[in-house]
Amino acid sequence: MSPQQQTELFAAVAEYAWRESSLRLEIPEKPMMWPQYAHDVPIYAADNRRTLYGIVRPDLVAACPKLVEELVLVRNAQEARELAAVLPQGRIAHLNLPEHEQLTMY
């Protein structure tokens, strides 16, 4: 993912959290992928407890059964459809970003 696309994605995640939950997030300067979150980026609330808000664009969700308990934030409806078979309804939020590219965090 290009730096511009990464900036766009995390800005959309922060805007979504504010719009939906009136919550400010900690957006990492250098996103780190975590194996327990299907090798993608966990995003935390900017609160004293550092509460997990959601996971940005997990690619290996089927290999991570614990992920079904978390909010998964994806770029667009296409990515949401790809994950719909393995995640419960209501756990996927797509951010209405362009669908013209297949993007991963790798």
Side-chain angles (χ1 to χ4, degrees), residues 72-102:
V72 176
L73 298 129
V74 297
R75 292 182 54 84
N76 51 51
Q78 177 183 337
E79 290 180 353
R81 285 189 298 272
E82 291 170 6
L83 295 176
V86 291
L87 286 175
Q89 186 174 7
R91 301 310 303 163
I92 302 169
H94 76 78
L95 303 169
N96 295 315
L97 296 174
E99 292 190 30
H100 62 275
E101 294 183 54
Q102 276 289 49

Side-chain angles (χ1 to χ4, degrees), residues 20-93:
E20 297 295 318
S21 307
S22 297
L23 185 66
R24 296 198 188 281
L25 301 179
E26 293 178 5
I27 302 298
E29 287 184 36
K30 184 176 181 185
M32 301 292 289
M33 293 176 271
W34 292 41
Q36 68 265 40
Y37 298 121
H39 297 280
D40 273 307
V41 181
I43 298 294
Y44 295 91
D47 61 14
N48 292 337
R49 294 169 291 174
R50 200 166 185 258
T51 308
L52 180 66
Y53 178 73
I55 311 302
V56 177
R57 187 56 177 101
D59 290 318
L60 303 174
V61 71
C64 186
K66 190 159 180 64
L67 198 61
V68 299
E69 301 168 11
E70 306 300 341
L71 174 64
V72 176
L73 298 129
V74 297
R75 292 182 54 84
N76 51 51
Q78 177 183 337
E79 290 180 353
R81 285 189 298 272
E82 291 170 6
L83 295 176
V86 291
L87 286 175
Q89 186 174 7
R91 301 310 303 163
I92 302 169

